[in-house]
Amino acid sequence: MRLDIVTCQPELLTSPFAVSIVKRAQEKGLAEIHVHDLRRFAINKHGQIDDYVFGGGAGMVLRVEPIAACLDELLAERTYDAVIYMTPDGETLRQPLVNRLSLAGNLLILCGHYKGVDERIRKAYITHEISVGDYVLSGGELGAAILVDAVVRLLPGVLGNEESALSDSFQDNLLAPPVYTRPAEWRGEKVPDILLSGNTPLVEVWRHEQAVERTRQRRPDLLE
């Protein structure tokens, strides 16, 4: 999978893609991540990429020309399965959407900043608008990092055990059950006997029951 990310703050994306699972995915050649600095397409020598809001009001808006120039350059090089804009008013990112995007070959992600991007960009280029939650960030970069991490970990060969991703929270519309490791007893608290029994079918029944109960207590909306 190739992921291209357009941003005016590329430094924000240096660390998330340089460690852990996303780093290993790149080293294995399973994911190719390219971050493009929007200021390379600035409209003048001062590096301007934003301007005041028409109609008045606080905040700045990313101009159409730099974004269009960057997107046109990328779109001329390859076809993208989705051109995504990270925005608070987009579709809330949930696991089914992540699963679908993980099947793509090329994804292009545009990060908003300040008050966002000129609406004409959204109409002309964007195929998917995604939000990571009902709150506002300073820009779309951290949301893009979340999206990339969620998608890349599902790519075949990225995780040591691919079944691990299938048992994550939300994959079956349930939260994950509690998990334990050594020692079997800590501060008087023992690991449930069923997990030490070696009876795999009963363990799976227990895990499902625990997942349902945890979902009922913490996210009953998922059961609906």
Side-chain angles (χ1 to χ4, degrees):
M1 172 181 284
R2 177 182 171 114
L3 301 104
D4 288 279
I5 305 173
V6 178
T7 169
C8 62
Q9 300 286 341
E11 298 84 359
L12 285 173
L13 295 171
T14 301
S15 176
F17 303 148
V19 295
S20 190
I21 291 173
V22 176
K23 177 185 178 183
R24 294 199 297 272
Q26 294 176 84
E27 291 175 341
K28 291 180 179 180
L30 302 173
E32 192 177 330
I33 302 173
H34 298 269
V35 178
H36 305 273
D37 188 350
L38 191 58
R39 293 192 185 278
R40 185 164 67 87
F41 302 87
I43 63 172
N44 55 37
K45 64 180 181 180
H46 304 295
Q48 184 181 359
I49 56 174
D50 61 349
D51 217 322
Y52 297 104
V53 183
F54 273 138
M60 306 291 280
V61 177
L62 292 176
R63 292 179 59 127
V64 293
E65 305 98 324
I67 300 175
C70 182
L71 296 183
D72 285 343
E73 180 177 285
L74 292 170
L75 289 167
E77 295 173 354
R78 64 189 49 82
T79 299
Y80 290 92
D81 298 283
V83 181
I84 300 167
Y85 175 50
M86 305 303 302
T87 173
D89 60 352
E91 176 185 358
T92 301
L93 185 64
R94 293 188 174 88
Q95 196 61 44
L97 176 56
V98 173
N99 293 346
R100 293 196 298 273
L101 292 175
S102 72
L103 302 176
N106 300 315
L107 296 178
L108 176 53
I109 304 172
L110 172 62
C111 301
H113 213 74
Y114 312 116
K115 295 295 285 186
V117 304
D118 189 293
E119 185 70 17
R120 290 167 289 186
I121 289 293
R122 299 171 75 163
K123 292 180 177 179
Y125 294 94
I126 303 304
T127 64
H128 295 69
E129 299 188 342
I130 296 177
S131 166
V132 293
D134 295 341
Y135 47 87
V136 177
L137 300 172
S138 299
E141 290 78 14
L142 297 181
I146 290 172
L147 174 61
V148 170
D149 186 278
V151 168
V152 166
R153 67 189 307 277
L154 295 182
L155 300 180
V158 170
L159 298 180
N161 182 349
E162 293 184 15
E163 290 187 5
S164 176
L166 298 178
S167 62
D168 287 339
S169 289
F170 306 114
Q171 281 292 12
D172 52 3
N173 231 35
L174 295 174
L175 300 181
V179 294
Y180 299 85
T181 187
R182 293 182 177 87
E185 183 175 347
W186 179 75
R187 295 184 179 178
E189 184 84 13
K190 295 183 179 180
V191 172
D193 291 337
I194 184 64
L195 297 179
L196 306 176
S197 69
N199 190 326
T200 301
L202 288 182
V203 168
E204 291 307 312
V205 170
W206 179 88
R207 284 175 172 162
H208 179 72
E209 292 173 346
Q210 292 293 314
V212 172
E213 181 59 21
R214 177 162 287 189
T215 305
R216 185 188 66 78
Q217 292 178 354
R218 303 184 181 190
R219 289 291 305 276
D221 58 297
L222 293 176
L223 295 178
E224 296 173 2

XYZ file of all heavy atoms in Angstrom, residues 2-97:
749
model
N 0.479 2.244 -0.770
C 1.153 3.536 -0.756
C 0.194 4.565 -0.158
O -0.979 4.634 -0.540
C 1.564 3.954 -2.164
C 2.212 5.349 -2.196
C 2.571 5.786 -3.591
N 2.975 7.191 -3.595
C 4.197 7.636 -3.875
N 5.156 6.781 -4.172
N 4.461 8.933 -3.863
N 0.720 5.368 0.774
C -0.071 6.422 1.396
C 0.659 7.740 1.217
O 1.817 7.884 1.628
C -0.290 6.149 2.886
C -0.993 4.829 3.223
C 0.029 3.836 3.746
C -2.099 5.030 4.242
N -0.010 8.710 0.588
C 0.541 10.050 0.421
C -0.236 11.002 1.317
O -1.475 11.007 1.297
C 0.427 10.490 -1.035
C 1.402 9.748 -1.930
O 2.576 10.142 -1.960
O 0.992 8.774 -2.584
N 0.482 11.801 2.095
C -0.153 12.712 3.046
C 0.281 14.134 2.727
O 1.484 14.434 2.680
C 0.223 12.348 4.492
C -0.122 10.879 4.769
C -0.492 13.271 5.473
C 0.371 10.392 6.110
N -0.678 15.007 2.518
C -0.417 16.414 2.209
C -0.674 17.232 3.466
O -1.766 17.182 4.041
C -1.309 16.898 1.050
C -1.068 18.378 0.780
C -1.046 16.067 -0.193
N 0.322 18.023 3.884
C 0.225 18.749 5.141
C 1.071 20.014 5.105
O 2.064 20.079 4.365
C 0.696 17.869 6.310
O 0.838 18.674 7.491
C 2.050 17.233 6.008
N 0.706 20.991 5.901
C 1.550 22.175 6.060
C 2.413 22.062 7.320
O 3.162 22.979 7.645
C 0.706 23.448 6.093
S -0.469 23.529 7.461
N 2.297 20.923 8.027
C 3.086 20.684 9.220
C 3.699 19.274 9.152
O 3.352 18.397 9.948
C 2.206 20.814 10.481
C 1.563 22.165 10.683
C 2.572 23.209 11.140
O 3.641 22.882 11.630
N 2.224 24.481 10.987
N 4.595 19.007 8.219
C 5.144 17.654 8.061
C 5.882 17.137 9.285
O 5.949 15.920 9.507
C 6.085 17.790 6.853
C 6.399 19.256 6.761
C 5.165 19.953 7.248
N 6.420 18.042 10.094
C 7.163 17.613 11.279
C 6.289 16.837 12.258
O 6.787 15.982 12.994
C 7.769 18.833 11.998
C 8.768 19.626 11.177
C 8.104 20.643 10.270
O 6.843 20.723 10.255
O 8.838 21.358 9.554
N 4.999 17.110 12.262
C 4.089 16.421 13.177
C 3.965 14.936 12.849
O 3.528 14.147 13.688
C 2.699 17.069 13.127
C 2.543 18.410 13.844
C 1.165 19.001 13.564
C 2.738 18.254 15.338
N 4.346 14.547 11.640
C 4.171 13.166 11.212
C 5.484 12.382 11.199
O 5.503 11.220 10.807
C 3.545 13.144 9.818
C 2.126 13.719 9.749
C 1.668 13.859 8.306
C 1.156 12.846 10.523
N 6.554 13.001 11.636
C 7.846 12.319 11.633
C 7.876 11.166 12.619
O 8.210 10.030 12.268
C 8.975 13.315 11.962
O 8.978 14.363 10.994
C 10.324 12.606 11.950
N 7.519 11.427 13.853
C 7.611 10.408 14.906
C 6.615 9.262 14.749
O 6.997 8.101 14.885
C 7.430 11.063 16.280
O 7.426 10.111 17.305
N 5.322 9.518 14.471
C 4.362 8.404 14.412
C 4.712 7.318 13.411
O 4.354 6.157 13.611
C 3.045 9.104 14.032
C 3.207 10.507 14.481
C 4.652 10.820 14.284
N 5.403 7.686 12.338
C 5.706 6.705 11.300
C 7.122 6.145 11.411
O 7.554 5.374 10.556
C 5.514 7.332 9.914
C 4.142 7.893 9.695
C 3.949 9.003 8.890
C 3.023 7.317 10.302
C 2.679 9.528 8.685
C 1.752 7.827 10.104
C 1.580 8.941 9.293
N 7.850 6.525 12.458
C 9.246 6.117 12.595
C 9.458 5.080 13.684
O 10.600 4.738 14.003
C 10.122 7.352 12.873
N 8.374 4.577 14.262
C 8.500 3.608 15.347
C 7.451 2.506 15.204
O 6.503 2.624 14.430
C 8.321 4.279 16.738
C 9.444 5.269 17.010
C 6.975 4.989 16.829
N 7.678 1.429 15.924
C 6.697 0.371 16.130
C 6.206 -0.266 14.831
O 6.958 -0.468 13.887
C 5.525 0.915 16.959
O 4.665 -0.106 17.390
N 4.920 -0.594 14.792
C 4.343 -1.400 13.720
C 4.413 -0.696 12.371
O 4.732 -1.321 11.345
C 2.886 -1.766 14.069
C 2.870 -2.758 15.236
C 2.162 -2.358 12.862
C 1.492 -3.072 15.772
N 4.137 0.597 12.330
C 4.168 1.317 11.053
C 5.593 1.354 10.497
O 5.805 1.211 9.290
C 3.607 2.740 11.218
C 3.724 3.516 9.913
C 2.142 2.694 11.660
N 6.570 1.509 11.359
C 7.969 1.480 10.912
C 8.317 0.123 10.325
O 8.918 0.029 9.247
C 8.894 1.797 12.081
C 10.375 1.724 11.721
C 11.260 1.914 12.928
C 12.737 1.793 12.565
N 13.608 1.920 13.772
N 7.926 -0.946 11.019
C 8.238 -2.289 10.531
C 7.534 -2.577 9.200
O 8.084 -3.244 8.329
C 7.848 -3.336 11.576
C 8.679 -3.262 12.850
C 8.596 -4.561 13.634
N 7.251 -4.860 14.086
C 6.742 -4.431 15.235
N 7.475 -3.668 16.037
N 5.513 -4.761 15.598
N 6.318 -2.060 9.050
C 5.588 -2.266 7.795
C 6.338 -1.632 6.633
O 6.391 -2.194 5.532
C 4.185 -1.682 7.904
N 6.936 -0.475 6.872
C 7.707 0.190 5.827
C 9.001 -0.561 5.548
O 9.410 -0.715 4.389
C 8.010 1.627 6.236
C 6.760 2.504 6.344
C 7.080 3.894 6.837
O 7.462 4.776 6.067
N 6.948 4.103 8.149
N 9.647 -1.028 6.592
C 10.897 -1.768 6.420
C 10.679 -3.069 5.644
O 11.554 -3.507 4.893
C 11.523 -2.071 7.782
C 12.047 -0.821 8.493
C 12.546 -1.098 9.891
O 12.170 -2.159 10.463
O 13.288 -0.269 10.429
N 9.523 -3.685 5.827
C 9.197 -4.921 5.112
C 8.725 -4.660 3.683
O 8.516 -5.600 2.917
C 8.088 -5.677 5.859
C 8.507 -6.265 7.196
C 7.322 -6.986 7.840
C 7.691 -7.615 9.160
N 6.522 -8.316 9.789
N 8.527 -3.390 3.343
C 8.038 -3.063 2.015
C 6.543 -3.263 1.852
O 6.037 -3.300 0.722
N 5.831 -3.373 2.970
C 4.392 -3.598 2.918
C 3.605 -2.292 2.859
O 2.457 -2.261 2.418
C 3.949 -4.414 4.133
C 4.633 -5.784 4.274
C 4.254 -6.433 5.596
C 4.255 -6.681 3.111
N 4.208 -1.209 3.340
C 3.581 0.113 3.309
C 4.624 1.143 2.901
O 5.773 1.086 3.348
C 2.986 0.470 4.664
N 4.200 2.053 2.058
C 5.080 3.118 1.581
C 4.402 4.437 1.927
O 3.298 4.724 1.420
C 5.270 2.972 0.070
C 6.370 3.817 -0.520
C 6.541 3.543 -2.008
O 6.269 2.405 -2.438
O 6.926 4.480 -2.727
N 5.001 5.231 2.799
C 4.372 6.455 3.287
C 5.188 7.661 2.837
O 6.392 7.731 3.086
C 4.242 6.446 4.819
C 3.430 5.224 5.272
C 3.585 7.735 5.314
C 3.386 5.050 6.770
N 4.521 8.603 2.171
C 5.185 9.811 1.683
C 4.437 11.027 2.230
O 3.218 11.142 2.063
C 5.193 9.841 0.163
C 5.932 8.706 -0.457
N 7.267 8.770 -0.775
C 5.518 7.453 -0.789
C 7.653 7.620 -1.301
N 6.612 6.793 -1.314
N 5.172 11.924 2.878
C 4.585 13.143 3.429
C 5.010 14.322 2.552
O 6.209 14.523 2.290
C 5.051 13.366 4.882
C 4.475 14.666 5.426
C 4.621 12.187 5.760
N 4.040 15.095 2.097
C 4.300 16.196 1.171
C 4.023 17.534 1.853
O 2.926 17.755 2.380
C 3.410 16.049 -0.065
C 3.560 14.722 -0.747
N 4.510 14.475 -1.707
C 2.873 13.548 -0.576
C 4.410 13.222 -2.120
N 3.427 12.643 -1.441
N 5.022 18.401 1.841
C 4.916 19.707 2.489
C 4.166 20.667 1.571
O 4.626 20.998 0.473
C 6.319 20.236 2.789
C 6.288 21.496 3.638
O 5.186 22.066 3.843
O 7.362 21.931 4.094
N 3.018 21.124 2.035
C 2.181 22.011 1.227
C 2.891 23.336 0.925
O 2.617 23.972 -0.105
C 0.863 22.268 1.962
C -0.257 22.954 1.180
C -0.623 22.157 -0.070
C -1.482 23.138 2.071
N 3.821 23.719 1.777
C 4.502 25.001 1.566
C 5.402 24.975 0.331
O 5.824 26.027 -0.162
C 5.292 25.392 2.806
C 4.389 25.705 3.993
C 5.108 26.364 5.131
N 4.215 26.538 6.275
C 3.349 27.537 6.412
N 3.285 28.469 5.482
N 2.568 27.601 7.470
N 5.699 23.799 -0.173
C 6.468 23.712 -1.421
C 5.668 24.283 -2.584
O 6.229 24.638 -3.627
C 6.825 22.245 -1.688
C 7.716 22.026 -2.892
C 8.330 20.654 -2.885
N 7.349 19.598 -3.075
C 6.954 19.157 -4.271
N 7.449 19.696 -5.380
N 6.079 18.170 -4.374
N 4.362 24.406 -2.398
C 3.484 24.920 -3.452
C 2.923 26.296 -3.084
O 1.872 26.702 -3.589
C 2.340 23.939 -3.691
C 2.801 22.559 -4.084
C 3.100 21.622 -3.110
C 2.953 22.224 -5.416
C 3.528 20.349 -3.459
C 3.390 20.957 -5.778
C 3.679 20.020 -4.803
N 3.629 27.009 -2.212
C 3.174 28.324 -1.747
C 2.984 29.279 -2.921
O 3.627 29.155 -3.977
C 4.179 28.896 -0.757
N 2.109 30.270 -2.724
C 1.764 31.176 -3.819
C 2.777 32.302 -3.982
O 2.728 33.031 -4.979
C 0.354 31.775 -3.610
C 0.319 32.630 -2.339
C -0.690 30.670 -3.561
C -0.972 33.405 -2.178
N 3.694 32.479 -3.024
C 4.703 33.530 -3.146
C 5.969 33.132 -2.398
O 6.019 32.078 -1.751
C 4.163 34.875 -2.634
C 3.644 34.786 -1.202
O 4.204 34.079 -0.362
N 2.554 35.504 -0.914
N 6.974 33.972 -2.479
C 8.278 33.672 -1.885
C 8.244 33.671 -0.360
O 9.180 33.210 0.284
C 9.314 34.672 -2.382
C 9.044 36.117 -1.954
C 10.115 37.054 -2.494
C 9.850 38.500 -2.047
N 10.904 39.428 -2.570
N 7.170 34.206 0.194
C 7.027 34.238 1.650
C 6.448 32.938 2.203
O 6.262 32.792 3.414
C 6.142 35.414 2.060
C 6.637 36.742 1.569
N 7.826 37.294 2.001
C 6.099 37.596 0.658
C 8.008 38.457 1.383
N 6.986 38.664 0.571
N 6.142 32.007 1.345
C 5.603 30.724 1.790
C 4.136 30.756 2.136
O 3.649 29.897 2.876
N 3.388 31.691 1.585
C 1.970 31.827 1.938
C 1.134 30.694 1.345
O 1.206 30.403 0.154
C 1.420 33.162 1.449
C -0.031 33.396 1.873
C -0.587 34.705 1.357
O 0.115 35.476 0.690
N -1.861 34.961 1.642
N 0.346 30.083 2.201
C -0.573 29.030 1.756
C -1.977 29.256 2.294
O -2.888 28.480 2.005
C -0.087 27.637 2.209
C 0.089 27.611 3.726
C 1.196 27.248 1.483
C 0.418 26.244 4.277
N -2.178 30.313 3.101
C -3.481 30.555 3.708
C -3.902 31.998 3.500
O -3.136 32.827 3.017
C -3.453 30.210 5.200
C -2.436 31.057 5.959
O -1.617 31.746 5.324
O -2.441 31.028 7.203
N -5.139 32.300 3.882
C -5.626 33.669 3.751
C -6.826 33.853 4.665
O -7.326 32.893 5.265
C -6.003 33.970 2.298
C -5.645 35.401 1.907
O -5.810 36.303 2.761
O -5.192 35.609 0.768
N -7.313 35.098 4.738
C -8.434 35.417 5.605
C -9.733 34.813 5.093
O -9.880 34.513 3.911
C -8.587 36.935 5.750
C -7.408 37.600 6.401
C -6.492 38.329 5.650
C -7.191 37.471 7.775
C -5.395 38.940 6.250
C -6.100 38.072 8.386
C -5.199 38.801 7.609
O -4.110 39.377 8.215
N -10.691 34.669 5.989
C -11.996 34.095 5.644
C -12.855 35.129 4.933
O -13.033 36.246 5.440
C -12.723 33.607 6.923
C -14.053 32.952 6.559
C -11.852 32.666 7.718
N -13.381 34.778 3.766
C -14.334 35.666 3.113
C -15.566 35.810 3.988
O -16.084 34.832 4.528
C -14.756 35.109 1.750
C -13.853 35.505 0.611
C -13.495 34.590 -0.354
C -13.376 36.805 0.497
C -12.682 34.949 -1.416
C -12.567 37.182 -0.555
C -12.209 36.256 -1.516
N -16.066 37.027 4.121
C -17.237 37.282 4.939
C -16.884 37.671 6.361
O -17.774 37.979 7.152
N -15.588 37.638 6.674
C -15.156 38.023 8.005
C -15.169 36.876 8.993
O -15.698 35.796 8.720
N -14.571 37.100 10.122
C -14.500 36.083 11.154
C -13.062 35.737 11.492
O -12.130 36.041 10.738
N -12.887 35.081 12.624
C -11.552 34.744 13.094
C -10.990 33.537 12.350
O -11.738 32.713 11.825
C -11.598 34.446 14.599
N -9.663 33.451 12.333
C -9.000 32.284 11.770
C -8.638 32.436 10.301
O -9.098 33.353 9.611
N -7.783 31.526 9.843
C -7.300 31.527 8.466
C -7.736 30.243 7.764
O -8.023 29.232 8.412
C -5.776 31.633 8.445
C -5.219 32.816 9.224
S -5.586 34.398 8.439
C -4.326 34.421 7.162
N -7.789 30.298 6.434
C -8.210 29.157 5.625
C -7.104 28.833 4.621
O -6.504 29.738 4.029
C -9.513 29.480 4.865
C -9.909 28.319 3.952
C -10.634 29.787 5.844
N -6.823 27.546 4.425
C -5.843 27.141 3.422
C -6.376 27.458 2.023
O -7.501 27.091 1.688
C -5.538 25.648 3.550
C -4.789 25.229 4.820
C -4.635 23.712 4.867
C -3.423 25.898 4.893
N -5.556 28.130 1.220
C -5.977 28.570 -0.109
C -6.096 27.399 -1.083
O -5.489 26.346 -0.899
C -4.992 29.603 -0.653
C -5.027 30.921 0.112
C -4.021 31.887 -0.452
N -4.266 32.175 -1.867
C -4.381 33.410 -2.365
N -4.316 34.459 -1.568
N -4.571 33.596 -3.671
N -6.837 27.633 -2.150
C -7.056 26.582 -3.142
C -5.808 26.297 -3.979
O -5.519 25.134 -4.311
C -8.242 26.913 -4.074
C -9.541 26.909 -3.320
C -8.023 28.253 -4.772
N -5.051 27.347 -4.349
C -3.970 27.157 -5.321
C -2.880 26.184 -4.853
O -2.496 25.277 -5.620
C -3.326 28.503 -5.708
C -4.294 29.541 -6.218
C -4.683 30.519 -5.133
O -4.811 30.077 -3.970
O -4.840 31.704 -5.443
N -2.346 26.330 -3.628
C -1.302 25.396 -3.206
C -1.798 23.959 -3.114
O -1.100 23.030 -3.535
C -0.886 25.921 -1.822
C -1.340 27.332 -1.790
C -2.573 27.382 -2.616
N -3.005 23.785 -2.582
C -3.548 22.428 -2.441
C -3.800 21.818 -3.807
O -3.427 20.664 -4.070
C -4.855 22.450 -1.620
C -4.605 23.015 -0.218
C -5.438 21.038 -1.523
C -5.858 23.182 0.617
N -4.417 22.577 -4.710
C -4.706 22.064 -6.051
C -3.426 21.689 -6.781
O -3.353 20.649 -7.450
C -5.494 23.096 -6.845
N -2.393 22.517 -6.658
C -1.129 22.231 -7.337
C -0.514 20.942 -6.824
O -0.016 20.110 -7.599
C -0.161 23.395 -7.145
N -0.560 20.741 -5.513
C 0.000 19.525 -4.912
C -0.806 18.296 -5.306
O -0.242 17.279 -5.731
C 0.039 19.682 -3.395
S 0.776 18.259 -2.539
N -2.119 18.383 -5.180
C -2.965 17.236 -5.519
C -2.888 16.908 -7.005
O -2.847 15.726 -7.383
C -4.412 17.520 -5.112
C -4.680 17.705 -3.608
C -6.168 17.897 -3.359
C -4.150 16.531 -2.801
N -2.846 17.919 -7.857
C -2.742 17.672 -9.295
C -1.452 16.929 -9.619
O -1.437 16.015 -10.466
C -2.789 18.987 -10.070
C -4.185 19.581 -10.130
O -5.161 18.845 -9.872
O -4.302 20.793 -10.420
N -0.365 17.306 -8.965
C 0.915 16.647 -9.204
C 0.853 15.175 -8.818
O 1.318 14.304 -9.560
C 2.019 17.354 -8.413
C 3.399 16.754 -8.590
C 4.467 17.526 -7.856
O 4.849 18.627 -8.327
O 4.928 17.049 -6.789
N 0.265 14.897 -7.656
C 0.179 13.515 -7.185
C -0.785 12.692 -8.034
O -0.502 11.538 -8.382
C -0.264 13.496 -5.715
C 0.752 14.067 -4.725
C 0.116 14.217 -3.339
C 1.985 13.174 -4.646
N -1.920 13.275 -8.384
C -2.920 12.553 -9.166
C -2.445 12.276 -10.590
O -2.929 11.347 -11.245
C -4.221 13.345 -9.190
C -4.985 13.397 -7.864
C -6.069 14.457 -7.895
C -5.586 12.033 -7.525
N -1.491 13.063 -11.065
C -0.944 12.827 -12.396
C 0.013 11.640 -12.399
O 0.278 11.057 -13.459
C -0.216 14.080 -12.890
N 0.505 11.281 -11.228
C 1.484 10.200 -11.121
C 0.846 8.827 -10.936
O 1.404 7.807 -11.331
C 2.433 10.473 -9.953
C 3.293 11.723 -10.150
C 4.094 12.055 -8.911
O 3.883 11.378 -7.861
O 4.932 12.977 -8.970
N -0.345 8.790 -10.315
C -0.976 7.487 -10.048
C -2.461 7.683 -9.759
O -2.917 8.806 -9.497
C -0.295 6.778 -8.874
C -0.424 7.509 -7.547
C 0.439 6.873 -6.468
N 1.806 6.669 -6.950
C 2.729 7.628 -6.959
N 2.427 8.838 -6.531
N 3.945 7.374 -7.398
N -3.179 6.575 -9.767
C -4.604 6.586 -9.428
C -4.756 6.203 -7.963
O -4.122 5.266 -7.486
C -5.382 5.586 -10.303
O -5.240 5.967 -11.679
C -6.852 5.567 -9.932
N -5.593 6.939 -7.255
C -5.826 6.677 -5.838
C -7.203 6.054 -5.633
O -8.181 6.455 -6.272
C -5.710 7.969 -5.021
C -4.296 8.490 -4.944
C -3.829 9.404 -5.880
C -3.426 8.043 -3.956
C -2.527 9.874 -5.833
C -2.117 8.515 -3.896
C -1.675 9.425 -4.828
O -0.378 9.886 -4.775
N -7.262 5.077 -4.732
C -8.541 4.453 -4.405
C -9.425 5.399 -3.606
O -10.653 5.280 -3.641
C -8.292 3.170 -3.600
C -7.493 2.156 -4.399
O -8.083 1.517 -5.279
O -6.282 2.022 -4.149
N -8.799 6.325 -2.881
C -9.559 7.307 -2.106
C -8.702 8.550 -1.900
O -7.495 8.447 -1.677
C -9.981 6.734 -0.752
N -9.343 9.712 -2.020
C -8.701 10.986 -1.664
C -9.428 11.475 -0.419
O -10.601 11.852 -0.480
C -8.805 12.016 -2.806
C -8.111 13.314 -2.403
C -8.187 11.462 -4.078
N -8.743 11.430 0.701
C -9.370 11.616 2.019
C -9.025 12.982 2.588
O -7.873 13.422 2.540
C -8.890 10.508 2.980
C -9.257 9.124 2.439
C -9.463 10.716 4.377
C -8.557 7.982 3.150
N -10.021 13.630 3.149
C -9.807 14.891 3.868
C -10.139 14.654 5.334
O -11.234 14.200 5.669
C -10.689 15.994 3.287
C -10.634 17.302 4.037
C -9.425 17.898 4.371
C -11.806 17.963 4.411
C -9.371 19.102 5.058
C -11.768 19.174 5.084
C -10.543 19.739 5.409
O -10.501 20.921 6.091
N -9.177 14.938 6.218
C -9.395 14.803 7.659
C -10.105 16.054 8.167
O -9.565 17.166 8.079
C -8.061 14.612 8.393
C -7.214 13.448 7.885
S -8.035 11.837 7.911
C -8.448 11.687 9.662
N -11.325 15.879 8.683
C -12.127 17.027 9.099
C -13.107 16.626 10.194
O -13.646 15.509 10.165
C -12.901 17.609 7.894
O -13.812 18.622 8.341
C -13.686 16.523 7.155
N -13.372 17.511 11.172
C -14.310 17.178 12.251
C -15.718 16.865 11.774
O -16.463 16.162 12.460
C -14.302 18.446 13.127
C -13.005 19.115 12.834
C -12.733 18.832 11.390
N -16.112 17.359 10.593
C -17.472 17.102 10.124
C -17.543 15.935 9.145
O -18.538 15.761 8.444
C -18.100 18.357 9.509
C -17.315 18.888 8.320
O -16.201 18.390 8.048
O -17.809 19.821 7.654
N -16.492 15.111 9.118
C -16.495 13.944 8.252
C -17.124 12.735 8.921
O -17.606 12.788 10.057
N -17.109 11.605 8.212
C -17.603 10.346 8.760
C -16.705 9.912 9.913
O -15.480 9.924 9.787
C -17.609 9.269 7.678
C -18.023 7.891 8.167
C -17.913 6.821 7.095
O -17.557 7.170 5.956
O -18.158 5.636 7.406
N -17.301 9.541 11.031
C -16.502 9.113 12.177
C -15.746 7.832 11.851
O -16.325 6.875 11.326
C -17.388 8.891 13.414
O -18.077 10.104 13.725
C -16.551 8.488 14.618
N -14.456 7.827 12.131
C -13.622 6.663 11.838
C -13.983 5.501 12.751
O -13.859 5.589 13.963
C -12.146 7.030 12.024
C -11.134 5.946 11.645
C -11.213 5.633 10.159
C -9.728 6.376 12.035
N -14.453 4.421 12.139
C -14.780 3.198 12.877
C -14.140 2.013 12.163
O -13.735 2.097 11.016
C -16.302 3.027 12.973
C -16.978 4.097 13.829
C -18.457 3.768 14.067
N -19.066 4.699 15.000
C -19.639 5.852 14.656
N -19.669 6.203 13.385
N -20.172 6.646 15.562
N -14.083 0.883 12.857
C -13.349 -0.258 12.338
C -13.824 -0.742 10.967
O -12.989 -1.072 10.114
C -13.390 -1.412 13.341
C -12.354 -2.491 13.084
C -10.928 -1.959 13.163
O -10.593 -1.212 14.062
N -10.102 -2.348 12.206
N -15.123 -0.803 10.682
C -15.532 -1.229 9.337
C -14.948 -0.355 8.224
O -14.570 -0.860 7.170
C -17.064 -1.140 9.388
C -17.395 -1.350 10.829
C -16.295 -0.645 11.584
N -14.874 0.952 8.462
C -14.275 1.851 7.476
C -12.780 1.579 7.345
O -12.233 1.549 6.234
C -14.521 3.307 7.877
C -13.868 4.382 6.997
C -14.283 4.219 5.536
C -14.217 5.773 7.511
